[in-house]
Amino acid sequence: MAQAWRCSGLRWAADGPVLTWVGGRRSALVRGRRVAFGVAEGGVRTCVGARRHACPARAGVSGRSTGARCEECARLDRAHSVAADTIADDPRPYRVYLAWFGPGLVKVGITAYERGAARLLEQGAVCFSWLGHGPLMAARRTEELLRAALGVPDRVPYAQKRAVRAGLPGSVRERAAEITELHARAVALGGWPESLTPAPFRGADHAGVFGLEGGEDGGPVAVGEVTELVAGGAVGGELVAVAGPDLHLATERGVVVLDTRLMTGWDLVSAEGEPCAVPLRAFEGAAGVQDGLF
């Protein structure tokens, strides 16, 4: 029987993206190389637990869940979370940022100052700029100010991020245009918390880091996305881009996007030349793929 591994997610390290595995193993994700794995026959996806503790019930979870947690572990995981607004006493300084994922898709958010741009890489932000930094609650109030005054959301679904990647402008200036304008409008607003130190606009671009900055064709255009893994299924293709948690794989059906969060909770085994055999959803207007199992 082939050795099985459990993926614990994609991480953005200093030298690029890596897949991490339960037990500490790491696999560097290098564009141009083949990524291939299978799901063990008869396998069942089980809860990954919460806050570094295993799920006591080893509960089964849906193949489409990006969290891979049962209801109880999901509740425990969010019980002490900045993202979930369940803590307000974190003494660390926080940064407020504007992130752009593609035409018309901008969000405002916060991240711990010490993390630098890691949070932006994890979210798949194609470009971003800092707005300022200060205590957690000052950062939160600034985030809410921009949501209310400028209509900028603080959450963007990954499905929308994937949908707009095919239409990214070709130049850094064009990609930064929307957050350049929004940054200026944000700075002009009144009502910023006094304890938040504003930051000048300095656009940072991740298109090249992700592999979404191509030549004349604008980079690899995905035709669909994996909706879930299934027991006995397989995924394989050449890695052409990595954005946030998403792998863009060139397969026999075209470039497809795999959200690596769908890999957690499964027993995975090595695979070589097997064609993709997982449920796939075609992007609107894409040709060359079929919905469902292929």
Side-chain angles (χ1 to χ4, degrees), residues 8 23 33 43 61 66 78 95 101 113 175 188 193 206 208 224 227 230 232:
S8 53
R33 292 186 181 175
V61 294
T66 54
R78 295 179 67 83
R95 279 170 159 159
F101 302 92
Y113 192 97
R175 291 192 291 270
H206 289 153
T227 58
V230 293

Side-chain angles (χ1 to χ4, degrees), residues 199-215:
F201 180 83
R202 290 195 180 95
D205 192 276
H206 289 153
V209 176
F210 292 154
L212 299 174
E213 185 182 52

Side-chain angles (χ1 to χ4, degrees), residues 27-52:
S27 301
L29 291 166
V30 180
R31 296 201 301 271
R33 292 186 181 175
R34 182 171 176 80
V35 173
F37 64 88
V39 182
E41 290 282 357
V44 175
R45 194 184 191 200
T46 56
C47 175
V48 297
R51 307 192 67 77
R52 300 182 181 178

Side-chain angles (χ1 to χ4, degrees), residues 279-293:
L280 179 78
R281 179 188 298 115
F283 291 142
E284 185 176 353
V289 298
Q290 66 185 63
D291 191 26
L293 209 63

Side-chain angles (χ1 to χ4, degrees), residues 92-219:
R92 297 176 298 171
Y94 276 77
R95 279 170 159 159
V96 188
Y97 62 81
L98 285 171
W100 182 88
F101 302 92
L105 210 58
V106 181
K107 67 160 281 188
V108 60
I110 70 171
T111 184
Y113 192 97
E114 64 197 37
R115 298 204 67 210
R119 181 65 178 148
L120 286 305
L121 291 165
E122 292 167 356
Q123 293 187 54
V126 178
C127 62
F128 77 94
S129 176
W130 304 119
L131 276 165
H133 70 274
L136 172 59
M137 294 314 296
R140 276 289 186 220
R141 286 195 296 272
T142 305
E143 181 184 47
E144 181 57 35
L145 172 66
L146 267 64
R147 287 176 55 197
L150 302 181
V152 184
D154 64 346
R155 287 177 176 82
V156 174
Y158 276 96
Q160 292 183 27
K161 298 177 187 179
R162 296 177 191 122
V164 299
R165 284 180 195 151
L168 297 181
S171 72
V172 172
R173 175 176 287 187
E174 288 176 295
R175 291 192 291 270
E178 289 184 64
I179 58 170
T180 301
E181 188 265 341
L182 271 173
H183 188 284
R185 291 173 60 194
V187 170
L189 290 173
W192 281 50
E194 293 183 2
S195 55
L196 192 104
T197 303
F201 180 83
R202 290 195 180 95
D205 192 276
H206 289 153
V209 176
F210 292 154
L212 299 174
E213 185 182 52
E216 294 180 356
D217 62 356

Side-chain angles (χ1 to χ4, degrees), residues 236-255:
E238 178 189 336
L239 184 66
V240 294
V242 184
D246 294 343
L247 307 184
H248 290 230
L249 301 172
T251 74
E252 71 281 357
R253 298 284 181 156
V255 175

